[in-house]
């Protein structure tokens, strides 16, 4: 009888040990350092993935673009700054859904920061929460993302880069924010 109990305990213990060795099935990023314990605010590798989620119009050069699309400008400037950009442009048919999908994919891809020009800011609160839970810093481009939830910062962007008079100025300011975050510094409000 005692031998059976010992044998059962060994089997259960072995099963638990093997279960603990399996690891996760998703590629969640390592959270970045948080200094205020309510959100993520930087301190990541120089060559980190930086996600950019833009509206459909960003794929076409605008009047203030100098002939370069906003998506290309973000890709080029972030690359020049030493980051690995992953720029995603929402389709025209359902941009809010495309942006939610893009944000989830960027979190899974290990992005350390995501810059978002939201089609429907309120529709992104779930994705912002998932990003925060994974330690990803969210930077709103233009319109602020809504604040909701209780305590801390709730669900909102960590930082915001307000629209500038040109695409080049907006991208330069956004890149400077990411560089500050990469160094673990709190960027100045934009």
């Amino acid at each position: 009888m005692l031998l059976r109990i010992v044998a059962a305990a060994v089997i259960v213990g072995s099963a638990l040990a093997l279960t603990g060795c399996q690891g996760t099935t998703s590629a969640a990023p390592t959270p970045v350092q948080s200094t205020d314990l309510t959100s993520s605010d930087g301190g990541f590798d120089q060559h980190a993935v930086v996600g950019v989620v833009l509206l459909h119009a960003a794929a076409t050069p605008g009047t203030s673009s100098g002939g370069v699309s906003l998506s290309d400008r973000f890709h080029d400037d972030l690359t020049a700054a030493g980051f690995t950009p992953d720029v995603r442009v929402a389709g025209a048919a359902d941009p809010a859904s495309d942006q939610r999908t893009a944000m989830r994919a960027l979190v899974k891809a290990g992005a350390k920061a995501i810059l978002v020009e939201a089609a429907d800011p309120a529709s992104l609160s779930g994705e912002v929460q998932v990003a925060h839970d994974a330690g990803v810093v969210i930077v709103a481009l233009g319109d602020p993302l809504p604040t909701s939830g209780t305590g801390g910062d709730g669900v909102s962007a960590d930082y915001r880069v307000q629209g500038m008079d040109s695409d080049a100025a907006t991208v330069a300011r956004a890149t400077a924010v990411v560089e500050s975050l990469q160094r673990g510094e709190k960027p100045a409000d934009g």
Side-chain angles (χ1 to χ4, degrees), residues 60-166:
T60 306
T63 57
S64 68
S65 68
V68 179
S69 71
L70 187 60
S71 57
D72 288 342
R73 191 175 300 276
F74 265 112
H75 182 273
D76 295 347
D77 285 18
L78 289 169
T79 298
F83 299 106
T84 304
D86 188 342
V87 181
R88 309 215 177 180
V89 179
D94 191 0
S97 176
D98 290 349
Q99 288 186 324
R100 288 190 300 272
T101 300
M103 287 183 69
R104 284 190 301 269
L106 289 166
V107 169
K108 282 186 177 181
K112 296 297 183 184
I114 300 175
L115 309 170
V116 182
E117 178 187 34
D120 178 9
S123 74
L124 298 177
S125 62
E127 283 65 31
V128 171
Q129 184 63 57
V130 167
H132 280 176
D133 291 347
V136 180
V137 181
I138 301 295
V139 179
L141 298 172
D143 293 334
L145 294 176
T147 301
S148 64
T150 59
D153 69 340
V155 178
S156 67
D158 297 297
Y159 301 100
R160 178 177 173 213
V161 174
Q162 296 181 16
M164 306 285 184
D165 39 338
S166 73

